[in-house]
């Protein structure tokens, strides 16, 4: 029987267990795929720890993956057995060798996009599209601040922003990680634990601040991030790896700052059929045109707990994946 990684409630990485799952036949509008790869993302940690509730009836973690279609249900016309596909979004369950899910969730892969690349890129890539095309449509010459620029999301946002002609200031937690951010194309890299990183960001960005700041660190960092943005710029708060975010007063956004604050969700983005198709089509086109997404750490499915522990502790760079 195929195996998967499941939890029964909030807990530490040790709460993740390898379980056997029955093979299910796809119903109307569904497809069953045999997976080769699953992405590991901070949102999976949020689910595991209980920050995001586990959906009723679901126990297997993971929101993105790729594989090959093995069976299709009635009414499925856009897929056939043998197609290579990838996906991101609900329903939860990508930490598995095999799964059945709505065919509308599956994106057929172009011949020159591998399962390995797509399966490790869907969530971060769709997040990058959401941030750079919907939250703040980025224009050539604008400045972007990307926190955790050596991480999986940070690198793909940096690479995509550079392809749009933007200038990128990345922050990292240590000097050892700076080279990964520069390799991704960052124009400047700062240590976000240095005392002057906010002033230095504003100085580099024309002395006025960035047009878009992307903050997945959370905690006390967000209030500092607000200070890096020029008037009428935008801050996108997309996570809280450093812990809960203290309340933000609306007065912190108003004059003389006059900035916007967004809390966009890629899972909500992926749940909108039109946005999902537009975003994944754009992502596939970028991957075909040369957008890369390095894999920094690879684990066997059975070692998912170690993958979570390493990601949570900041021991990884670039994308983190499970292989089947």
């Amino acid at each position: 029987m195929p195996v998967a990684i499941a939890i029964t409630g909030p807990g530490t990485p040790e709460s993740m267990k390898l379980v056997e799952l029955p093979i299910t036949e796809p119903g109307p509008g569904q497809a069953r795929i045999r997976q080769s790869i699953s992405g590991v993302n901070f949102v999976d940690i949020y689910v595991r720890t209980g920050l995001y509730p586990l959906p009723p009836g679901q126990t297997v973690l993971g929101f993105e993956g790729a594989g090959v279609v093995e069976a299709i249900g009635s009414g499925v016309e856009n897929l056939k057995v043998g197609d290579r596909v990838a996906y991101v979004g609900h329903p939860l369950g990508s930490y598995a060798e095999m799964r059945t899910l709505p065919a509308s969730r599956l994106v057929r892969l172009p011949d020159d996009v591998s399962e390995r690349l797509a399966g490790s890129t869907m969530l971060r890539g769709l997040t990058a599209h959401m941030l750079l095309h919907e939250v703040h449509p980025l224009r050539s010459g604008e400045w972007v601040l990307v926190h955790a620029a050596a991480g999986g999301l940070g690198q793909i946002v940096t690479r995509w922003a550079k392809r749009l002609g933007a200038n990128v200031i990345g922050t990292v937690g240590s000097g050892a990680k700076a080279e990964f951010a520069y390799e991704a194309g960052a124009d400047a890299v700062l240590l976000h634990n240095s005392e002057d990183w906010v002033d230095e960001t504003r100085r580099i960005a024309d002395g006025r601040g960035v047009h878009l700041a992307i903050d997945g660190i959370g905690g006390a960092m967000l209030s500092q991030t607000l200070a890096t943005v020029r008037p009428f710029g935008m801050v996108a708060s997309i996570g809280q790896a450093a812990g809960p975010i203290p309340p933000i007063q609306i007065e912190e956004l108003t004059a003389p700052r006059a900035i916007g604050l967004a809390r966009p969700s890629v899972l909500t983005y992926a749940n909108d059929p039109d946005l999902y198709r537009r975003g994944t089509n754009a992502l596939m086109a970028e991957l075909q045109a040369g957008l890369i997404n390095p894999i920094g750490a690879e684990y066997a499915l059975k070692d998912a707990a170690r993958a979570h522990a390493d990601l949570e502790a900041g021991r990884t760079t670039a994308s983190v994946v499970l292989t089947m």
Side-chain angles (χ1 to χ4, degrees):
M1 295 179 70
V3 296
I5 297 293
I7 60 172
T8 55
T12 65
E14 288 68 32
S15 66
M16 302 161 62
K17 305 298 182 184
L18 192 68
V19 299
E20 291 186 340
L21 294 180
I23 298 176
T24 58
E25 293 303 319
Q30 294 184 325
R32 188 179 73 234
I33 65 172
R34 180 169 291 278
Q35 299 202 128
S36 57
I37 194 165
S38 171
V40 179
N41 300 279
F42 250 98
V43 67
D44 304 338
I45 293 173
Y46 298 154
V47 173
R48 192 205 76 223
T49 59
L51 179 64
Y52 293 172
L54 195 67
Q58 293 183 301
T59 60
V60 178
L61 294 173
F63 286 103
E64 71 172 342
V68 177
V69 175
E70 282 198 332
I72 57 175
S74 62
V76 177
E77 298 179 351
N78 62 324
L79 293 172
K80 65 181 185 300
V81 172
D83 280 346
R84 299 179 311 112
V85 293
Y87 64 89
V88 60
H90 289 287
L92 201 66
S94 69
Y95 292 11
E97 292 179 330
M98 188 179 295
R99 66 177 308 201
T100 298
L101 68 173
S104 60
R105 181 59 57 195
L106 299 175
V107 177
R108 190 161 46 195
L109 298 182
D111 291 341
D112 50 352
V113 175
S114 69
E115 294 167 40
R116 181 178 173 84
L117 176 59
S120 62
T121 305
M122 292 293 286
L123 190 141
R124 294 177 177 92
L126 194 64
T127 302
H129 183 271
M130 173 186 72
L131 293 168
L132 304 180
H133 291 84
E134 299 291 338
V135 173
H136 177 88
L138 197 61
R139 293 180 294 185
S140 179
E142 289 190 326
W143 285 93
V144 183
L145 172 68
V146 180
H147 282 314
L153 177 60
Q155 287 199 37
I156 198 167
V157 168
T158 297
R159 293 177 192 278
W160 203 328
K162 292 301 297 180
R163 293 172 70 86
L164 293 171
N167 306 298
V168 177
I169 300 172
T171 74
V172 294
S174 69
K177 291 188 174 183
E179 64 179 285
F180 295 101
Y182 278 123
E183 186 176 343
D187 298 279
V189 181
L190 306 173
L191 296 179
H192 60 63
N193 50 14
S194 65
E195 293 184 359
D196 64 346
W197 78 267
V198 171
D199 291 339
E200 188 65 6
T201 297
R202 296 186 62 85
R203 184 194 68 78
I204 294 170
D206 305 327
R208 301 185 62 204
V210 298
H211 298 83
L212 171 65
I214 299 168
D215 187 342
I217 296 178
M221 180 61 72
L222 183 59
S223 63
Q224 298 179 69
T225 302
L226 296 176
T228 68
V229 180
R230 67 180 62 194
F232 305 104
M234 173 66 72
V235 176
S237 172
I238 58 169
Q240 49 196 70
I245 299 170
I248 299 292
Q249 300 296 320
I250 192 68
E251 289 78 13
E252 296 184 55
L253 309 179
T254 54
R257 283 181 174 169
I259 61 175
L261 173 61
R263 180 71 172 183
S265 165
V266 69
L267 296 179
T268 300
Y269 196 67
N271 212 39
D272 182 294
D274 291 336
L275 290 175
Y276 185 62
R277 287 299 162 188
R278 186 159 75 237
T280 54
N281 285 343
L283 175 58
M284 290 301 127
E286 288 294 323
L287 293 176
Q288 288 182 286
L291 177 67
I292 64 173
N293 179 39
I295 292 175
E298 183 175 320
Y299 305 80
L301 178 63
K302 64 182 179 62
D303 295 323
R306 184 159 59 90
H308 270 227
D310 288 348
L311 179 60
E312 205 166 6
R315 291 190 288 266
T316 64
T317 58
S319 292
V320 179
V321 300
L322 303 175
T323 57
M324 312 302 166

